Amino acid sequence: MAHPICGIDVGAFSIKFVVFDVGFRQNVFRGAFEEMVVEGETPLIERQMEAVREGLSRVSSDAMLYVAMPGDQLSIRSLELPFGDPRKIDQVIGFELEGQIVHALDEVVFDHVTVRSSDDGSSVLAVAAKQTDVAALLESLRTGGVDPRSLYAAPVAYRALPIDDPRADEESGKVVAILDIGHLRSNLFIGRDRAGIAARTIMRGGHHLTMALAEGLELNHDRAEQFKRTEARLLAAGAPMTGTRDGRPNEIMRATLAPLVREVRQTLAAFRAASHREIGALHLTGGTARLRGIAGFFQDELDLPVGFLSVPNTLQSQDRGAQEVIAKVGNGAVVAVDEAIADLQKTMRLSYAATESSSFALATAIGIAASRGGREIDLRRGPFIYSVSFSALRQKAGHLMLLAATVLVAGGLDVFAALSNLGDEKKALDAHLKTATQEIFGQPRTDAKEVTQLLRKGFKEELAPVPRATAFDLLEQISKKVPSDDDIVLDITELDIRPKKTFIKGTVGSATAVDEIAEKLKDIDCYEDVTKGTVTEVSGDSKQFTLTVASKCP
């Protein structure tokens, strides 16, 4: 049975929600929408939580919620380790981080993912955050009605996006970079699993453009924001100016974006030097990336192919088709998709040919990371580990009871079938027992305990006796006990070995030899008494004798 999950991007300009139904075999995208953060004098976090509460009213109450922690509150480190054993990595991550972050290890929460592993070693991406920052964020989220199942690291979450770009794939050896330009901050993600990853947050965004335009063009804040969205554009290098209307805003925006470009350029260079891999393409996303001319601007500044990161389920692709509908509800845009979209991998496949920017990339990445259930960096650890709420179970009580009843019925049928099979096996074993006891005892028996007791008696009473020594055994012992031909001349003419008695007739050289033979036979264990018969003289001075031996062996 599918259950809903919701990835939430808590932005400064708007709160983005992306909802999936996660099932056993398939994950289905259900919708995406955003709630605008209203302007005002109250603290930003309070206005954000007000928008979060408003957005949650449109999300199913049993949905599991996932959030990402802003990158400016994180310490992100790439670690190279000389081994790939996951247990050893878990043991040393804390020691490796302790020398690279400014805070004591007992003051932070940290987690890691292995992005490359081989016999030679492994590359690990580790993220740490101050416990006070994590606690403050979780407390603020609770005021907005959110107790997130996981708290991902925002700049790292983009690794969940399955980007398909031939300019940066495994065959070319190049990697892709994603620049998500938001309102107050921009997230930069570089690389992919098995090839190395770098991620950071740069505190520059659309808000800085608005403030610069307001100051440079002497506009109020609302007019500057409107101008940025509807009229402003970045001109290509060397493009002719159409008067001061284009020229002055272009200069202001280029100067404002210069710090962001500088930080991106330095980060790309550091990644190339550390990983020895080239950047195949830069994908722009985020609300501020809708600024006209921004793709060409970054392409000229970074000398890289630049395009927009298209997220099809948020309607950023040109061929969105009749499946998708945009409906304006209040001050947020609700994006709905046809219920027939059943395969998450097909739905979430990204294109490198988008013509406009999406503001749902981070929320989508959070949702995909949560739905696929793989290993992700999660800062809900230690004292902040997620506590399961049973409210969802209460809401599903009817379904759970029906499921439990179904399991019990299935279990009962299974037990009945097993008992039926055991009954058939018992009948077959009884038949074998009757056959075996008929052969041994002469009559069939069905009582297994009785048969066992009879066997333990050692074949007494009606059971056939088992002799301690056979006639052959006695013959062998007689031949060993009688004196050898070197001592006396012995010729046995008759030997009859029967149960309880042995008869021996023969000739020897003297009567003394008869006594010697009788004494030797007494040494045999089975013989109890030796009785001598008449000793008569035969030809050649030989003596004929008879011996009757009583035997205690059956």
Side-chain angles (χ1 to χ4, degrees):
M1 183 172 59
H3 65 276
I5 65 168
C6 179
I8 305 175
D9 173 13
V10 183
F13 188 78
S14 65
I15 312 298
K16 276 73 68 176
F17 299 80
V18 174
V19 182
F20 295 93
D21 276 349
V22 179
F24 178 68
R25 294 186 177 179
Q26 64 183 15
N27 302 327
V28 181
F29 169 74
R30 287 306 181 196
F33 64 92
E34 63 180 345
E35 279 290 338
M36 309 306 294
V37 177
V38 298
E39 296 289 341
E41 298 297 329
T42 57
L44 174 61
I45 189 65
E46 295 182 11
R47 291 183 278 120
Q48 287 175 314
M49 291 306 106
E50 183 180 348
V52 167
R53 285 191 293 271
E54 190 70 25
L56 286 179
S57 63
R58 308 187 207 174
V59 178
S60 174
S61 59
D62 61 347
M64 194 166 289
L65 309 178
Y66 293 80
V67 181
M69 191 167 186
D72 56 297
Q73 296 179 330
L74 305 174
S75 295
I76 304 174
R77 298 291 184 269
S78 294
L79 306 175
E80 296 295 327
L81 301 177
F83 46 79
D85 187 345
R87 291 174 297 180
K88 291 183 178 179
I89 294 175
D90 290 340
Q91 293 170 358
V92 305
I93 284 297
F95 299 101
E96 294 290 333
L97 273 178
E98 192 170 20
Q100 299 193 29
I101 59 179
V102 297
H103 303 288
L105 205 59
D106 58 358
E107 297 178 359
V108 301
V109 179
F110 62 89
D111 196 9
H112 71 280
V113 290
T114 301
V115 297
R116 181 190 61 82
S117 182
S118 66
D119 295 337
D120 299 330
S122 58
S123 296
V124 176
L125 195 68
V127 176
K130 292 176 61 178
Q131 292 190 14
T132 53
D133 291 341
V134 175
L137 177 59
L138 291 176
E139 182 59 32
S140 297
L141 289 171
R142 289 190 185 97
T143 64
V146 177
D147 185 16
R149 174 64 179 81
S150 294
L151 190 61
Y152 298 141
V156 183
Y158 300 93
R159 67 188 286 264
L161 296 174
I163 302 174
D164 185 10
D165 188 341
R167 298 171 299 185
D169 53 19
E170 293 188 11
E171 292 184 4
S172 67
K174 297 180 180 181
V175 298
V176 72
I178 299 174
L179 180 60
D180 189 346
I181 310 176
H183 189 59
L184 291 179
R185 60 178 69 89
S186 298
N187 292 325
L188 178 61
F189 176 86
I190 314 169
R192 63 171 181 271
D193 286 344
R194 299 185 298 278
I197 288 175
R200 65 171 298 193
T201 294
I202 305 168
M203 296 305 294
R204 304 291 294 184
H207 172 72
H208 301 86
L209 285 173
T210 301
M211 298 301 294
L213 289 170
E215 182 180 354
L217 301 180
E218 298 181 353
L219 303 174
N220 61 44
H221 180 274
D222 293 340
R223 178 67 183 99
E225 181 69 26
Q226 181 186 14
F227 179 83
K228 179 187 70 174
R229 289 173 168 273
T230 59
E231 302 175 50
R233 62 174 177 169
L234 285 164
L235 302 177
M241 305 259 184
T242 58
T244 57
R245 181 177 181 82
D246 286 335
R248 180 57 180 159
N250 179 65
E251 294 175 0
I252 294 172
M253 291 187 295
R254 280 180 172 272
T256 306
L257 289 172
L260 175 61
V261 172
R262 181 178 63 251
E263 296 294 331
V264 172
R265 184 185 293 115
Q266 291 176 353
T267 306
L268 296 179
F271 177 83
R272 292 189 187 101
S275 66
H276 306 289
R277 291 184 179 272
E278 288 297 321
I279 314 298
L282 174 67
H283 292 241
L284 297 179
T285 187
T288 303
R290 295 194 181 104
L291 181 65
R292 291 185 297 173
I294 195 169
F297 168 76
F298 273 99
Q299 184 162 306
D300 292 340
E301 293 292 330
L302 301 175
D303 194 22
L304 275 177
V306 176
F308 295 109
L309 180 65
S310 176
V311 185
N313 62 11
T314 54
L315 310 185
Q316 303 306 321
S317 176
Q318 281 183 317
D319 54 349
R320 59 191 66 169
Q323 292 180 332
E324 304 170 332
V325 180
I326 294 182
K328 295 294 183 180
V329 179
N331 58 358
V334 179
V335 182
V337 181
D338 193 332
E339 298 289 334
I341 304 177
D343 188 352
L344 176 64
Q345 296 300 327
K346 293 181 181 179
T347 305
M348 295 308 305
R349 210 63 186 167
L350 304 185
S351 170
Y352 66 93
T355 57
E356 61 179 4
S357 176
S358 167
S359 60
F360 290 90
L362 179 56
T364 301
I366 295 171
I368 295 177
S371 64
R372 69 183 184 181
R375 179 75 170 87
E376 302 291 341
I377 289 178
D378 185 2
L379 297 173
R380 294 216 68 171
R381 300 171 65 86
F384 308 109
I385 193 166
Y386 178 75
S387 298
V388 179
S389 172
F390 293 97
S391 60
L393 294 179
R394 287 192 293 269
Q395 294 172 1
K396 295 291 185 179
H399 295 86
L400 293 175
M401 292 178 64
L402 179 61
L403 180 61
T406 304
V407 171
L408 289 175
V409 171
L413 293 175
D414 183 66
V415 171
F416 176 78
L419 291 176
S420 178
N421 291 336
L422 288 175
D424 294 340
E425 291 180 7
K426 184 178 182 301
K427 292 179 181 178
L429 291 174
D430 287 342
H432 289 310
L433 183 61
K434 288 181 179 180
T435 302
T437 52
Q438 177 71 41
E439 295 176 356
I440 296 175
F441 305 127
Q443 60 181 352
R445 297 177 183 270
T446 57
D447 190 339
K449 291 184 178 179
E450 180 183 355
V451 173
T452 302
Q453 292 175 355
L454 290 174
L455 292 175
R456 286 176 178 174
K457 289 180 179 179
F459 294 97
K460 295 180 180 179
E461 298 175 358
E462 72 266 29
L463 294 180
V466 178
R468 291 172 57 188
T470 64
F472 181 80
D473 296 331
L474 292 175
L475 176 61
E476 180 185 17
Q477 293 186 51
I478 291 171
S479 66
K480 289 180 179 180
K481 294 296 182 179
V482 296
S484 63
D485 292 341
D486 295 337
D487 300 329
I488 59 174
V489 178
L490 173 64
D491 184 13
I492 295 177
T493 59
E494 183 179 347
L495 176 61
D496 186 9
I497 301 175
R498 296 178 180 275
K500 305 294 185 181
K501 185 177 73 171
T502 299
F503 177 78
I504 302 174
K505 183 178 181 181
T507 59
V508 292
S510 63
T512 306
V514 176
D515 296 334
E516 185 178 350
I517 293 171
E519 291 298 326
K520 292 290 185 181
L521 291 178
K522 291 180 180 180
D523 294 338
I524 298 176
D525 292 337
C526 286
Y527 289 163
E528 293 180 317
D529 185 32
V530 180
T531 303
K532 292 186 294 182
T534 304
V535 179
T536 61
E537 188 172 340
V538 295
S539 63
D541 295 330
S542 296
K543 307 296 182 183
Q544 180 177 281
F545 71 92
T546 61
L547 296 174
T548 302
V549 185
S551 175
K552 59 184 176 181
C553 296

